[in-house]
Amino acid sequence: MGVIFRKFILLMLILGHISVAWSSAPFMNGEQDFSHYYGPNEPESFKDPRFGKTVFSENVWQEQRMFKSLDLKLYFFKEFFKDLNTAELCPNDELSKNADYMRYLYRLSALSYLKELFNQMEESSKKMKFGKVCEISLPKLLSQCGPNSDDMKLFIKSAKVLSKNFSPFLVPYDFKFDEYYNSWRKDLTSKKVDSAAKKRISVYCEDHNCSSLSKKKMKKAFEDSCNEDSELFVKICSEKDKLYGISSVEQLYHAISSSDVMKVLNEQGNARGCLARYTSVMKDKELEVAPIQKVFPLIYEDLKRNKGQLGGVLFDAGSLKMFVEEGLADIFVEKKVEKKKVVQAAPVEEYELGPLAPAPLKQIFKPRVKKKIVKVEEKKVEKKEVIKSHFLKSAEALVEFDLEKIELDMLKFKYDYVFNSKMHSYLEGQMPKFFAREGLEDMKKFDSLGTKKGPVPLLFLKYLIEEGKHQGLFNLVEVVGNEFYVRNNIDDESIASKADYVRLDFSENGQPQWRLSILKNN
């Protein structure tokens, strides 16, 4: 009995410590929304310390009433076990510790979904011949952001680099513009909103008179909506919004919780529980934003239907904390090459007077000492010795000695590049969809995989060989053949070839293993 009592006291001490951590949580400060009261008595209330909900004293009295006839201690035991379950879901100190980062993740997902909305709005507006009213420049938007947190600053730097891969939508010259516009107008009139863009215009029409939606008014609806959403984007990336857990869009919780970024929050194994609890706790602090509440669910469904990343196209640029902790903060950021300037002094004009020049002039134009022109030469930077991989040395030897084939030493090739534990864990989760038969066939069909135009990344091939992904390697051979082109992404691109012709063979002599050879490219 004494052991049980001591365990009980220990649990009470833990819960007491948790409640202290909760009371000092800074993210619970400030104004919060007040729930509606419908009861017959005085609306006295307090905040539930577990999930931040408003609890009316009258409701507590009603709950206690049934226990009074038995024993009121049973009610407190019930509440005790509620606290215990909450602590198991996500302890208060852990919630408080990660609150700022979880708020950042919701802001990041909102920014990424706004980018998806921009894409749809641009495509739809151009298909109606509205020009560039919704052609939003992401670099320009990002340059207007003024965040305070390091996470958001890193996202902006990374997103600027990522945005260089985006290009404006181009409508085919033979597109049926009028037919598309009439179909759109008909759907809006019948309130058939089956896309995020249609829903966005529908939201706009809730505050504006769209009963007679002419082409001119439709264009204005697109223009105003895109301007409003651009302002919202800048507000969020500047961290001047009222977004917390965006509880009104449950889909964002699923998008974040299914991403690799949850590894950052999973030190104690409570990542999803803490994210869910944060979403519930912060509900009363949020302000409603119509485009987010009504449009984002459709974007989520669209991404899910098209098997895209549920976080959206920009989410990767902001989910780099796990790489930052490994010293890879600039994974998306381009390094600027500093150009050293040669500074040259301005030439000095010299005057020469004849021997019979008047003396006063000779006093004015005294012989001037010629100033030397000083040139600041570039500092010679000692070139570091370039370390070449075994694969690159073999490829160079093939050309130098005009050989038909060089077989790689697979042990040396193994140490050309070593995957660390973090990268290994990440690849284990991401790679299977790429070396599946269906994925390889799609890449061959759309990206010319294995040809000179679409060479197989050498690191991808190396990963499959090292990890013994035999099924993936056999799939690769079946789809592209055992002779194909690879791109050497182990060595620096300034010295590596863009396409090397190789042969992949499976040897069953002794211990089964894969052999890689470099072939002469005829």
Side-chain angles (χ1 to χ4, degrees), residues 117-156:
L117 178 58
F118 293 155
N119 292 346
Q120 288 198 30
M121 294 289 279
E122 180 188 357
E123 179 179 341
S124 296
S125 61
K126 286 185 174 180
K127 285 180 176 179
M128 296 184 208
K129 285 190 175 181
F130 291 160
K132 298 182 179 181
V133 293
C134 281
E135 188 177 297
I136 295 167
S137 169
L138 186 60
K140 187 177 178 181
L141 275 188
L142 293 168
S143 66
Q144 298 175 46
C145 301
N148 292 318
S149 70
D150 292 336
D151 290 311
M152 189 63 78
K153 287 175 182 176
L154 178 59
F155 161 71
I156 291 167

mmCIF file of all heavy atoms in Angstrom, residues 117-156:
data_model
loop_
_atom_site.group_PDB
_atom_site.id
_atom_site.type_symbol
_atom_site.label_atom_id
_atom_site.label_comp_id
_atom_site.label_asym_id
_atom_site.label_seq_id
_atom_site.Cartn_x
_atom_site.Cartn_y
_atom_site.Cartn_z
ATOM 1 N N LEU A 117 -2.675 28.887 -54.199
ATOM 2 C CA LEU A 117 -3.843 29.671 -54.631
ATOM 3 C C LEU A 117 -3.446 30.662 -55.727
ATOM 4 O O LEU A 117 -4.175 30.832 -56.711
ATOM 5 C CB LEU A 117 -4.451 30.403 -53.441
ATOM 6 C CG LEU A 117 -5.658 31.307 -53.729
ATOM 7 C CD1 LEU A 117 -6.790 30.511 -54.362
ATOM 8 C CD2 LEU A 117 -6.139 31.993 -52.451
ATOM 9 N N PHE A 118 -2.289 31.307 -55.573
ATOM 10 C CA PHE A 118 -1.803 32.232 -56.614
ATOM 11 C C PHE A 118 -1.694 31.520 -57.959
ATOM 12 O O PHE A 118 -2.066 32.072 -59.002
ATOM 13 C CB PHE A 118 -0.419 32.793 -56.239
ATOM 14 C CG PHE A 118 -0.417 33.697 -55.034
ATOM 15 C CD1 PHE A 118 0.730 33.865 -54.276
ATOM 16 C CD2 PHE A 118 -1.557 34.382 -54.658
ATOM 17 C CE1 PHE A 118 0.746 34.702 -53.172
ATOM 18 C CE2 PHE A 118 -1.551 35.222 -53.543
ATOM 19 C CZ PHE A 118 -0.395 35.372 -52.805
ATOM 20 N N ASN A 119 -1.169 30.299 -57.923
ATOM 21 C CA ASN A 119 -1.003 29.524 -59.167
ATOM 22 C C ASN A 119 -2.351 29.280 -59.851
ATOM 23 O O ASN A 119 -2.485 29.454 -61.071
ATOM 24 C CB ASN A 119 -0.325 28.189 -58.876
ATOM 25 C CG ASN A 119 1.115 28.338 -58.440
ATOM 26 O OD1 ASN A 119 1.708 29.416 -58.594
ATOM 27 N ND2 ASN A 119 1.694 27.303 -57.878
ATOM 28 N N GLN A 120 -3.348 28.884 -59.066
ATOM 29 C CA GLN A 120 -4.665 28.595 -59.637
ATOM 30 C C GLN A 120 -5.351 29.866 -60.147
ATOM 31 O O GLN A 120 -5.994 29.859 -61.202
ATOM 32 C CB GLN A 120 -5.551 27.912 -58.592
ATOM 33 C CG GLN A 120 -5.153 26.475 -58.289
ATOM 34 C CD GLN A 120 -6.266 25.703 -57.600
ATOM 35 O OE1 GLN A 120 -7.447 25.961 -57.808
ATOM 36 N NE2 GLN A 120 -5.885 24.732 -56.777
ATOM 37 N N MET A 121 -5.197 30.952 -59.389
ATOM 38 C CA MET A 121 -5.813 32.219 -59.791
ATOM 39 C C MET A 121 -5.167 32.756 -61.074
ATOM 40 O O MET A 121 -5.850 33.284 -61.959
ATOM 41 C CB MET A 121 -5.683 33.246 -58.666
ATOM 42 C CG MET A 121 -6.470 32.908 -57.410
ATOM 43 S SD MET A 121 -8.254 33.071 -57.610
ATOM 44 C CE MET A 121 -8.448 34.848 -57.388
ATOM 45 N N GLU A 122 -3.863 32.617 -61.182
ATOM 46 C CA GLU A 122 -3.157 33.068 -62.399
ATOM 47 C C GLU A 122 -3.617 32.265 -63.610
ATOM 48 O O GLU A 122 -3.922 32.830 -64.672
ATOM 49 C CB GLU A 122 -1.645 32.924 -62.217
ATOM 50 C CG GLU A 122 -0.861 33.366 -63.434
ATOM 51 C CD GLU A 122 0.620 33.048 -63.355
ATOM 52 O OE1 GLU A 122 1.069 32.521 -62.314
ATOM 53 O OE2 GLU A 122 1.335 33.302 -64.348
ATOM 54 N N GLU A 123 -3.678 30.950 -63.451
ATOM 55 C CA GLU A 123 -4.083 30.087 -64.568
ATOM 56 C C GLU A 123 -5.506 30.416 -65.026
ATOM 57 O O GLU A 123 -5.766 30.588 -66.228
ATOM 58 C CB GLU A 123 -3.989 28.620 -64.155
ATOM 59 C CG GLU A 123 -4.408 27.659 -65.249
ATOM 60 C CD GLU A 123 -4.293 26.199 -64.846
ATOM 61 O OE1 GLU A 123 -3.566 25.902 -63.874
ATOM 62 O OE2 GLU A 123 -4.952 25.369 -65.495
ATOM 63 N N SER A 124 -6.436 30.525 -64.071
ATOM 64 C CA SER A 124 -7.839 30.781 -64.424
ATOM 65 C C SER A 124 -8.017 32.158 -65.060
ATOM 66 O O SER A 124 -8.748 32.307 -66.042
ATOM 67 C CB SER A 124 -8.724 30.669 -63.173
ATOM 68 O OG SER A 124 -8.699 29.360 -62.667
ATOM 69 N N SER A 125 -7.343 33.179 -64.513
ATOM 70 C CA SER A 125 -7.496 34.537 -65.053
ATOM 71 C C SER A 125 -6.921 34.650 -66.461
ATOM 72 O O SER A 125 -7.483 35.337 -67.322
ATOM 73 C CB SER A 125 -6.828 35.556 -64.129
ATOM 74 O OG SER A 125 -5.440 35.314 -64.012
ATOM 75 N N LYS A 126 -5.818 33.963 -66.717
ATOM 76 C CA LYS A 126 -5.227 34.021 -68.058
ATOM 77 C C LYS A 126 -6.071 33.260 -69.071
ATOM 78 O O LYS A 126 -6.073 33.595 -70.257
ATOM 79 C CB LYS A 126 -3.793 33.482 -68.023
ATOM 80 C CG LYS A 126 -2.807 34.444 -67.361
ATOM 81 C CD LYS A 126 -1.378 33.950 -67.445
ATOM 82 C CE LYS A 126 -0.406 34.995 -66.914
ATOM 83 N NZ LYS A 126 0.994 34.545 -66.971
ATOM 84 N N LYS A 127 -6.772 32.224 -68.604
ATOM 85 C CA LYS A 127 -7.644 31.470 -69.506
ATOM 86 C C LYS A 127 -8.910 32.247 -69.852
ATOM 87 O O LYS A 127 -9.676 31.831 -70.703
ATOM 88 C CB LYS A 127 -8.017 30.122 -68.874
ATOM 89 C CG LYS A 127 -6.876 29.101 -68.895
ATOM 90 C CD LYS A 127 -7.293 27.789 -68.269
ATOM 91 C CE LYS A 127 -6.201 26.745 -68.386
ATOM 92 N NZ LYS A 127 -6.596 25.448 -67.760
ATOM 93 N N MET A 128 -9.113 33.386 -69.159
ATOM 94 C CA MET A 128 -10.237 34.262 -69.480
ATOM 95 C C MET A 128 -9.769 35.552 -70.149
ATOM 96 O O MET A 128 -10.520 36.502 -70.272
ATOM 97 C CB MET A 128 -11.018 34.610 -68.197
ATOM 98 C CG MET A 128 -11.667 33.427 -67.533
ATOM 99 S SD MET A 128 -12.662 33.934 -66.109
ATOM 100 C CE MET A 128 -12.581 32.497 -65.093
ATOM 101 N N LYS A 129 -8.487 35.566 -70.512
ATOM 102 C CA LYS A 129 -7.884 36.728 -71.183
ATOM 103 C C LYS A 129 -7.907 37.988 -70.300
ATOM 104 O O LYS A 129 -8.173 39.087 -70.768
ATOM 105 C CB LYS A 129 -8.579 37.021 -72.526
ATOM 106 C CG LYS A 129 -8.218 36.053 -73.639
ATOM 107 C CD LYS A 129 -8.757 36.549 -74.976
ATOM 108 C CE LYS A 129 -8.294 35.659 -76.124
ATOM 109 N NZ LYS A 129 -8.798 36.135 -77.432
ATOM 110 N N PHE A 130 -7.603 37.794 -69.005
ATOM 111 C CA PHE A 130 -7.553 38.933 -68.090
ATOM 112 C C PHE A 130 -6.123 39.464 -67.925
ATOM 113 O O PHE A 130 -5.860 40.301 -67.066
ATOM 114 C CB PHE A 130 -8.112 38.543 -66.717
ATOM 115 C CG PHE A 130 -9.589 38.287 -66.707
ATOM 116 C CD1 PHE A 130 -10.187 37.545 -65.703
ATOM 117 C CD2 PHE A 130 -10.402 38.799 -67.714
ATOM 118 C CE1 PHE A 130 -11.550 37.313 -65.689
ATOM 119 C CE2 PHE A 130 -11.778 38.564 -67.717
ATOM 120 C CZ PHE A 130 -12.346 37.816 -66.708
ATOM 121 N N GLY A 131 -5.213 38.961 -68.731
ATOM 122 C CA GLY A 131 -3.839 39.451 -68.683
ATOM 123 C C GLY A 131 -3.098 39.024 -67.430
ATOM 124 O O GLY A 131 -3.245 37.904 -66.954
ATOM 125 N N LYS A 132 -2.328 39.951 -66.862
ATOM 126 C CA LYS A 132 -1.452 39.620 -65.733
ATOM 127 C C LYS A 132 -2.005 40.076 -64.384
ATOM 128 O O LYS A 132 -1.254 40.352 -63.454
ATOM 129 C CB LYS A 132 -0.073 40.252 -65.953
ATOM 130 C CG LYS A 132 0.651 39.746 -67.188
ATOM 131 C CD LYS A 132 2.022 40.372 -67.322
ATOM 132 C CE LYS A 132 2.762 39.847 -68.552
ATOM 133 N NZ LYS A 132 4.129 40.437 -68.667
ATOM 134 N N VAL A 133 -3.336 40.175 -64.270
ATOM 135 C CA VAL A 133 -3.922 40.692 -63.015
ATOM 136 C C VAL A 133 -3.574 39.810 -61.812
ATOM 137 O O VAL A 133 -3.550 40.279 -60.676
ATOM 138 C CB VAL A 133 -5.454 40.838 -63.129
ATOM 139 C CG1 VAL A 133 -5.829 41.915 -64.118
ATOM 140 C CG2 VAL A 133 -6.111 39.505 -63.478
ATOM 141 N N CYS A 134 -3.301 38.515 -62.062
ATOM 142 C CA CYS A 134 -2.958 37.612 -60.964
ATOM 143 C C CYS A 134 -1.589 36.949 -61.172
ATOM 144 O O CYS A 134 -1.312 35.899 -60.588
ATOM 145 C CB CYS A 134 -4.030 36.535 -60.796
ATOM 146 S SG CYS A 134 -5.499 37.122 -59.910
ATOM 147 N N GLU A 135 -0.758 37.552 -62.002
ATOM 148 C CA GLU A 135 0.606 37.042 -62.172
ATOM 149 C C GLU A 135 1.471 37.672 -61.078
ATOM 150 O O GLU A 135 2.040 38.747 -61.236
ATOM 151 C CB GLU A 135 1.147 37.368 -63.560
ATOM 152 C CG GLU A 135 2.491 36.699 -63.849
ATOM 153 C CD GLU A 135 2.985 36.977 -65.262
ATOM 154 O OE1 GLU A 135 2.311 36.566 -66.222
ATOM 155 O OE2 GLU A 135 4.022 37.656 -65.388
ATOM 156 N N ILE A 136 1.557 37.000 -59.958
ATOM 157 C CA ILE A 136 2.209 37.545 -58.762
ATOM 158 C C ILE A 136 3.664 37.113 -58.718
ATOM 159 O O ILE A 136 3.979 35.921 -58.825
ATOM 160 C CB ILE A 136 1.462 37.077 -57.501
ATOM 161 C CG1 ILE A 136 0.050 37.668 -57.505
ATOM 162 C CG2 ILE A 136 2.198 37.502 -56.232
ATOM 163 C CD1 ILE A 136 -0.881 37.058 -56.493
ATOM 164 N N SER A 137 4.554 38.083 -58.558
ATOM 165 C CA SER A 137 5.987 37.806 -58.460
ATOM 166 C C SER A 137 6.326 37.410 -57.031
ATOM 167 O O SER A 137 6.261 38.232 -56.117
ATOM 168 C CB SER A 137 6.782 39.050 -58.868
ATOM 169 O OG SER A 137 8.150 38.895 -58.536
ATOM 170 N N LEU A 138 6.674 36.142 -56.838
ATOM 171 C CA LEU A 138 7.003 35.677 -55.496
ATOM 172 C C LEU A 138 8.261 36.371 -54.934
ATOM 173 O O LEU A 138 8.252 36.775 -53.765
ATOM 174 C CB LEU A 138 7.183 34.154 -55.497
ATOM 175 C CG LEU A 138 7.384 33.516 -54.128
ATOM 176 C CD1 LEU A 138 6.191 33.781 -53.223
ATOM 177 C CD2 LEU A 138 7.614 32.017 -54.267
ATOM 178 N N PRO A 139 9.357 36.533 -55.707
ATOM 179 C CA PRO A 139 10.525 37.257 -55.169
ATOM 180 C C PRO A 139 10.173 38.672 -54.702
ATOM 181 O O PRO A 139 10.691 39.138 -53.685
ATOM 182 C CB PRO A 139 11.495 37.288 -56.355
ATOM 183 C CG PRO A 139 11.117 36.116 -57.187
ATOM 184 C CD PRO A 139 9.628 36.010 -57.061
ATOM 185 N N LYS A 140 9.288 39.341 -55.437
ATOM 186 C CA LYS A 140 8.878 40.691 -55.057
ATOM 187 C C LYS A 140 8.108 40.666 -53.738
ATOM 188 O O LYS A 140 8.307 41.536 -52.867
ATOM 189 C CB LYS A 140 8.014 41.299 -56.166
ATOM 190 C CG LYS A 140 7.677 42.766 -55.954
ATOM 191 C CD LYS A 140 6.875 43.318 -57.128
ATOM 192 C CE LYS A 140 6.489 44.781 -56.901
ATOM 193 N NZ LYS A 140 5.693 45.318 -58.036
ATOM 194 N N LEU A 141 7.220 39.693 -53.576
ATOM 195 C CA LEU A 141 6.475 39.562 -52.321
ATOM 196 C C LEU A 141 7.419 39.285 -51.157
ATOM 197 O O LEU A 141 7.312 39.887 -50.091
ATOM 198 C CB LEU A 141 5.461 38.426 -52.416
ATOM 199 C CG LEU A 141 4.085 38.706 -53.023
ATOM 200 C CD1 LEU A 141 3.195 37.484 -52.839
ATOM 201 C CD2 LEU A 141 3.428 39.909 -52.381
ATOM 202 N N LEU A 142 8.351 38.358 -51.365
ATOM 203 C CA LEU A 142 9.277 37.975 -50.298
ATOM 204 C C LEU A 142 10.166 39.135 -49.866
ATOM 205 O O LEU A 142 10.551 39.231 -48.699
ATOM 206 C CB LEU A 142 10.140 36.789 -50.753
ATOM 207 C CG LEU A 142 9.397 35.467 -50.962
ATOM 208 C CD1 LEU A 142 10.274 34.467 -51.688
ATOM 209 C CD2 LEU A 142 8.929 34.889 -49.628
ATOM 210 N N SER A 143 10.489 40.022 -50.825
ATOM 211 C CA SER A 143 11.334 41.177 -50.492
ATOM 212 C C SER A 143 10.613 42.175 -49.581
ATOM 213 O O SER A 143 11.248 43.032 -48.969
ATOM 214 C CB SER A 143 11.802 41.876 -51.772
ATOM 215 O OG SER A 143 10.688 42.445 -52.458
ATOM 216 N N GLN A 144 9.284 42.063 -49.501
ATOM 217 C CA GLN A 144 8.501 42.967 -48.637
ATOM 218 C C GLN A 144 8.331 42.414 -47.226
ATOM 219 O O GLN A 144 7.800 43.099 -46.357
ATOM 220 C CB GLN A 144 7.114 43.196 -49.255
ATOM 221 C CG GLN A 144 7.138 43.872 -50.618
ATOM 222 C CD GLN A 144 5.744 43.958 -51.231
ATOM 223 O OE1 GLN A 144 4.790 44.323 -50.564
ATOM 224 N NE2 GLN A 144 5.625 43.612 -52.498
ATOM 225 N N CYS A 145 8.772 41.190 -47.001
ATOM 226 C CA CYS A 145 8.605 40.573 -45.686
ATOM 227 C C CYS A 145 9.591 41.154 -44.679
ATOM 228 O O CYS A 145 10.740 41.437 -45.031
ATOM 229 C CB CYS A 145 8.812 39.054 -45.779
ATOM 230 S SG CYS A 145 7.669 38.229 -46.913
ATOM 231 N N GLY A 146 9.144 41.299 -43.449
ATOM 232 C CA GLY A 146 10.018 41.808 -42.388
ATOM 233 C C GLY A 146 9.843 41.011 -41.112
ATOM 234 O O GLY A 146 9.311 41.518 -40.125
ATOM 235 N N PRO A 147 10.285 39.741 -41.094
ATOM 236 C CA PRO A 147 10.070 38.887 -39.921
ATOM 237 C C PRO A 147 11.085 39.151 -38.799
ATOM 238 O O PRO A 147 12.126 39.772 -39.024
ATOM 239 C CB PRO A 147 10.259 37.480 -40.498
ATOM 240 C CG PRO A 147 11.274 37.675 -41.581
ATOM 241 C CD PRO A 147 10.992 39.030 -42.171
ATOM 242 N N ASN A 148 10.787 38.619 -37.621
ATOM 243 C CA ASN A 148 11.696 38.707 -36.484
ATOM 244 C C ASN A 148 12.345 37.368 -36.159
ATOM 245 O O ASN A 148 13.487 37.321 -35.707
ATOM 246 C CB ASN A 148 10.943 39.210 -35.240
ATOM 247 C CG ASN A 148 10.508 40.652 -35.392
ATOM 248 O OD1 ASN A 148 11.262 41.490 -35.890
ATOM 249 N ND2 ASN A 148 9.288 40.963 -34.980
ATOM 250 N N SER A 149 11.629 36.277 -36.384
ATOM 251 C CA SER A 149 12.149 34.966 -35.993
ATOM 252 C C SER A 149 13.189 34.458 -36.992
ATOM 253 O O SER A 149 13.121 34.738 -38.184
ATOM 254 C CB SER A 149 11.005 33.952 -35.880
ATOM 255 O OG SER A 149 10.480 33.637 -37.154
ATOM 256 N N ASP A 150 14.132 33.688 -36.486
ATOM 257 C CA ASP A 150 15.181 33.106 -37.341
ATOM 258 C C ASP A 150 14.591 32.106 -38.325
ATOM 259 O O ASP A 150 15.062 31.990 -39.463
ATOM 260 C CB ASP A 150 16.250 32.417 -36.481
ATOM 261 C CG ASP A 150 17.055 33.413 -35.661
ATOM 262 O OD1 ASP A 150 17.113 34.597 -36.074
ATOM 263 O OD2 ASP A 150 17.611 33.016 -34.625
ATOM 264 N N ASP A 151 13.575 31.360 -37.895
ATOM 265 C CA ASP A 151 12.957 30.358 -38.784
ATOM 266 C C ASP A 151 12.339 31.020 -40.012
ATOM 267 O O ASP A 151 12.524 30.551 -41.139
ATOM 268 C CB ASP A 151 11.890 29.568 -38.033
ATOM 269 C CG ASP A 151 12.490 28.644 -36.988
ATOM 270 O OD1 ASP A 151 13.427 27.921 -37.329
ATOM 271 O OD2 ASP A 151 12.016 28.654 -35.839
ATOM 272 N N MET A 152 11.602 32.120 -39.804
ATOM 273 C CA MET A 152 10.969 32.800 -40.937
ATOM 274 C C MET A 152 12.003 33.468 -41.834
ATOM 275 O O MET A 152 11.859 33.498 -43.062
ATOM 276 C CB MET A 152 9.951 33.812 -40.429
ATOM 277 C CG MET A 152 9.088 34.427 -41.529
ATOM 278 S SD MET A 152 8.042 33.223 -42.401
ATOM 279 C CE MET A 152 6.719 32.994 -41.214
ATOM 280 N N LYS A 153 13.068 34.000 -41.236
ATOM 281 C CA LYS A 153 14.137 34.621 -42.037
ATOM 282 C C LYS A 153 14.798 33.593 -42.946
ATOM 283 O O LYS A 153 15.085 33.864 -44.112
ATOM 284 C CB LYS A 153 15.182 35.260 -41.112
ATOM 285 C CG LYS A 153 14.715 36.533 -40.433
ATOM 286 C CD LYS A 153 15.754 37.046 -39.453
ATOM 287 C CE LYS A 153 15.254 38.300 -38.726
ATOM 288 N NZ LYS A 153 16.223 38.764 -37.703
ATOM 289 N N LEU A 154 15.036 32.402 -42.411
ATOM 290 C CA LEU A 154 15.646 31.335 -43.215
ATOM 291 C C LEU A 154 14.697 30.898 -44.331
ATOM 292 O O LEU A 154 15.122 30.640 -45.459
ATOM 293 C CB LEU A 154 16.003 30.146 -42.331
ATOM 294 C CG LEU A 154 16.606 28.935 -43.056
ATOM 295 C CD1 LEU A 154 17.886 29.310 -43.787
ATOM 296 C CD2 LEU A 154 16.873 27.801 -42.065
ATOM 297 N N PHE A 155 13.397 30.829 -44.013
ATOM 298 C CA PHE A 155 12.415 30.463 -45.035
ATOM 299 C C PHE A 155 12.447 31.456 -46.198
ATOM 300 O O PHE A 155 12.436 31.065 -47.369
ATOM 301 C CB PHE A 155 11.011 30.425 -44.437
ATOM 302 C CG PHE A 155 9.915 30.510 -45.477
ATOM 303 C CD1 PHE A 155 9.654 29.448 -46.326
ATOM 304 C CD2 PHE A 155 9.177 31.677 -45.626
ATOM 305 C CE1 PHE A 155 8.660 29.536 -47.299
ATOM 306 C CE2 PHE A 155 8.194 31.777 -46.587
ATOM 307 C CZ PHE A 155 7.930 30.707 -47.420
ATOM 308 N N ILE A 156 12.497 32.748 -45.896
ATOM 309 C CA ILE A 156 12.482 33.776 -46.945
ATOM 310 C C ILE A 156 13.723 33.656 -47.825
ATOM 311 O O ILE A 156 13.636 33.725 -49.051
ATOM 312 C CB ILE A 156 12.361 35.174 -46.317
ATOM 313 C CG1 ILE A 156 10.970 35.344 -45.707
ATOM 314 C CG2 ILE A 156 12.601 36.268 -47.347
ATOM 315 C CD1 ILE A 156 10.817 36.527 -44.798
#
